[in-house]
């Protein structure tokens, strides 16, 4: 989406930590989602933030700052299977019903 | 069994042909969506439906039409396929409410020659 920015690609080593940043601009923010998508497969839901702060789910954590229009997804103890594209999506209520605007995705490459 | 299924999974067609992509879900969700995904552009919304009698255009609906045959079924048609409709197509569902997480089908890879 044109109003959502995330890096195109990141590389990290197995066992390390990677932080994927997402910045957005919308006048009608109502939640931010992170999805994981392996090549050629469906996006799968990882996390949801609607209030400021950190949400932790096992090795994955997601942070939101609404005042800064900023979120990050933190992947800890990286495994080879974490190599995938990570999509940031913002619920935008500008058009009243709250469609999801997706970023282009960040390709994470985990190396041995 | 998958909660959201799409058929076919792969399709090759020629310019000008009419094709239909089908989506079924067993999640009991009321809302369904069709997206297309192109490299570097992210997911873009084609059409969405909040219930059987509700159909709405998304951001890129030109050249597409949809039908919501039942709460569980939502099909996408390309009336006259053109090469720039070559893409990966995803169906998604959500349950109306506060969070409304969208859950995606496995996708249909379409090639228009």
């Amino acid at each position: 989406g044109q109003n959502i920015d995330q890096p195109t690609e990141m590389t990290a080593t197995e066992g390390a930590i990677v932080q994927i940043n997402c910045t957005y601009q919308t006048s009608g923010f109502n939640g931010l989602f992170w999805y994981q998508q392996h090549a050629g497969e469906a996006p799968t839901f990882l996390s949801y933030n609607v209030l400021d702060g950190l949400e932790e789910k096992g090795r994955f954590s997601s942070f939101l700052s609404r005042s800064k229009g900023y979120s990050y997804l933190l992947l800890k103890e990286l495994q080879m299977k974490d190599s995938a594209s990570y999509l940031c999506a913002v619920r935008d209520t500008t058009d009243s019903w709250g469609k999801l605007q997706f970023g282009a995705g960040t390709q994470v490459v985990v190396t041995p | 069994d998958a909660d959201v299924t799409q058929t076919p999974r792969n399709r090759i067609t020629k310019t000008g042909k009419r094709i239909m992509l089908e989506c079924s879900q067993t999640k009991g969700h009321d809302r369904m969506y069709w997206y297309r995904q192109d490299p570097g552009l992210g997911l873009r919304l084609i059409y969405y439906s909040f219930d059987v009698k509700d159909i709405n255009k998304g951001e890129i609906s030109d050249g597409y039409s949809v039908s919501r045959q039942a709460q569980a079924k939502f099909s996408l048609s390309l009336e006259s396929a053109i090469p720039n409709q070559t893409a990966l197509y995803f169906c998604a569902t959500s349950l109306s409410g506060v969070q409304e997480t969208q859950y995606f089908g496995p996708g249909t890879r379409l090639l228009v020659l």
Side-chain angles (χ1 to χ4, degrees), chain A residues 1 4 13 15-16 32 52 59 61 67 69 76 80 91 97-98 100:
Chain A
I4 300 177
T13 306
L32 186 144
D52 291 351
R59 294 189 298 114
S61 304
S67 63
K76 294 179 274 190
M80 298 300 292
R91 170 155 287 128
W97 72 273
L100 282 189

Side-chain angles (χ1 to χ4, degrees), chain A residues 1 30 33 35 37 39-45 47-48 87 91 97-105, chain B residues 9 31 33 35 37 40-43 45 48 50 59 88 90 98-106 109:
Chain A
N30 193 21
F33 297 80
Y35 284 83
Q37 185 179 24
E41 298 183 8
T44 56
F45 169 69
S47 69
Y48 171 72
L87 313 179
R91 170 155 287 128
W97 72 273
K99 66 182 178 183
L100 282 189
Q101 287 278 11
F102 283 85
Chain B
R9 295 294 313 280
R31 299 186 170 189
Y33 312 82
Y35 290 90
Q37 187 174 40
L41 293 180
L43 288 158
L45 184 64
Y48 61 99
F50 285 172
E59 58 185 303
L88 186 54
F90 287 104
V98 176
Q99 183 168 323
E100 278 196 54
T101 300
Q102 292 187 18
Y103 296 91
F104 288 81
R109 189 171 297 277

Side-chain angles (χ1 to χ4, degrees), chain A residues 61-90:
Chain A
S61 304
S62 57
F63 171 83
L64 175 67
S65 169
R66 289 171 296 171
S67 63
K68 295 182 179 178
Y70 169 69
S71 173
Y72 68 72
L73 180 69
L74 194 70
L75 285 61
K76 294 179 274 190
E77 301 170 17
L78 277 172
Q79 302 176 9
M80 298 300 292
K81 67 178 181 179
D82 297 330
S83 290
S85 183
Y86 292 84
L87 313 179
C88 173
V90 172

